[in-house]
Amino acid sequence: MIRTTYTQSKAKVILSGMALMALTGLGLSGCIILPTPPHGGISLITKETIESFEPGKTTRADILLRLGDPAERLKEDRFFVYQWERIHGYFAAGGGYSGVAAPLPATHFLGIEFTSDNRLKGVTVIHPWLPLIDKRSSLEEWMAEQREESNP
Amino acid sequence: MRTGDLNVGLFLVSALLLAGCSTVTQLEPQLVSERLPFIQDGKTSKEEILSRLGEPYNRYQGAQILTYEMCEDFYLKGQLHIKDTRPTGGKTEARRTTVPCPLERRNKLILVLGPDNLVARHSVVLVK
């Protein structure tokens, strides 16, 4: 027991020291998050593509032929989720004569709902406006709303 | 201005300029026919597709829509190949690979079958 207490105390001292060093380091160096307009990215689905879909007319086949496999298939294919990432800013840190920078991506979602006869019922597009913000919950809310509308 | 600040600034500008963008698009139908000549709307059967390309990557609407993953192959000078999922070899349009496509190169072959189980429509969706 004593040994354990001693070890804990030593660990606390080491951790406190590390935290102090980190805080001092941050204070002595420059650290910045620079938000930018969304740019770059992978598997980007354009606004024009999404706007070309017509509820009640566009079929599941049309969407698959145009966009390929969705990232997720939910509720027995009632919902498709497509997603892509764009860069929404950069993190940069500099100290002394050196510096590092890294892009900050954010995930965009396209939620698609189909009718029971495989036609498009509705879509939602969720664009995060800040980097590192997960908007997945907004997509979940939209799907829950659609389900409630169908089963009031 | 310190050299470190200048380096960070230059890096940010370079990163903004170099940030690539890959968009989901469809391959021109003519190019699809050139690369996958055996697939013809109204002629190619589901059985032929399955025997030549193996198990699809995904099935939809009771297997009336099939999808296959296509990678750009370095050894084929960037040509697309379909991942072969069949357990045995043989001459095929698909190319056996155990290496998954990189995320930015997950192209898809989409085949929509009609009620007669013939290919009704097809496309290749590119991520480029």
Side-chain angles (χ1 to χ4, degrees), chain B residues 11-54:
Chain B
F11 187 94
L12 284 174
V13 171
S14 307
L16 273 168
L17 292 173
L18 292 173
C21 181
S22 68
T23 311
V24 174
T25 56
Q26 280 176 302
L27 188 66
E28 292 291 321
Q30 191 184 336
L31 292 174
V32 179
S33 303
E34 281 174 17
R35 294 178 189 192
L36 300 162
F38 81 94
I39 299 174
Q40 291 180 28
D41 292 351
K43 289 183 181 173
T44 312
S45 69
K46 184 178 184 178
E47 288 70 31
E48 189 180 358
I49 294 288
L50 293 174
S51 70
R52 294 179 83 145
L53 301 182

Side-chain angles (χ1 to χ4, degrees), chain A residues 34 39-44 46 60-62 64-70 73 77 80 90 92 96-97 99 101 118, chain B residues 3 7-8 11-12 15-16 19-24 26 57-61 65 67 108 110 112 121-123 125 127:
Chain A
L34 178 71
H39 63 283
I42 297 171
S43 306
L44 176 65
T46 62
R60 188 188 302 278
D62 294 331
L64 286 165
L65 286 164
R66 186 74 187 81
L67 302 179
D69 286 308
R73 303 165 65 174
D77 281 353
F80 277 4
Y90 291 87
Y97 292 98
N118 294 306
Chain B
T3 314
N7 285 344
V8 171
F11 187 94
L12 284 174
L16 273 168
C21 181
S22 68
T23 311
V24 174
Q26 280 176 302
Y57 183 78
N58 262 320
R59 296 167 190 254
Y60 301 86
Q61 289 181 207
I65 304 174
T67 69
K108 294 287 168 61
I110 316 293
V112 180
R121 291 191 289 163
H122 69 283
S123 76
V125 178
V127 177

Side-chain angles (χ1 to χ4, degrees), chain A residues 36-148:
Chain A
T36 63
H39 63 283
I42 297 171
S43 306
L44 176 65
I45 298 173
T46 62
K47 188 181 169 189
E48 291 72 28
T49 299
I50 296 165
E51 286 177 350
S52 70
F53 300 146
E54 294 179 59
K57 193 176 173 188
T58 304
T59 62
R60 188 188 302 278
D62 294 331
I63 287 174
L64 286 165
L65 286 164
R66 186 74 187 81
L67 302 179
D69 286 308
E72 288 180 70
R73 303 165 65 174
L74 301 169
K75 302 289 172 195
E76 295 174 342
D77 281 353
R78 178 175 166 181
F79 296 100
F80 277 4
V81 177
Y82 290 87
Q83 61 185 59
W84 63 97
E85 283 196 346
R86 302 205 78 189
I87 297 165
H88 281 245
Y90 291 87
F91 167 82
Y97 292 98
S98 62
V100 291
L104 295 173
T107 306
H108 297 238
F109 295 99
L110 166 64
I112 299 178
E113 185 185 16
F114 294 98
T115 59
S116 54
D117 63 345
N118 294 306
R119 292 196 177 271
L120 176 67
K121 188 176 180 188
V123 300
T124 186
V125 187
I126 294 163
H127 296 296
W129 50 278
L130 279 175
L132 302 175
I133 301 291
D134 186 6
K135 297 287 283 180
R136 172 79 201 191
S137 56
S138 303
L139 183 73
E140 301 284 352
E141 283 169 20
W142 176 76
M143 287 191 284
E145 280 170 19
Q146 300 311 110
R147 289 200 298 272
E148 276 176 24

Side-chain angles (χ1 to χ4, degrees), chain A residues 23-44:
Chain A
L23 287 171
T24 309
L26 280 173
L28 293 174
S29 62
C31 174
I32 186 173
I33 289 178
L34 178 71
T36 63
H39 63 283
I42 297 171
S43 306
L44 176 65

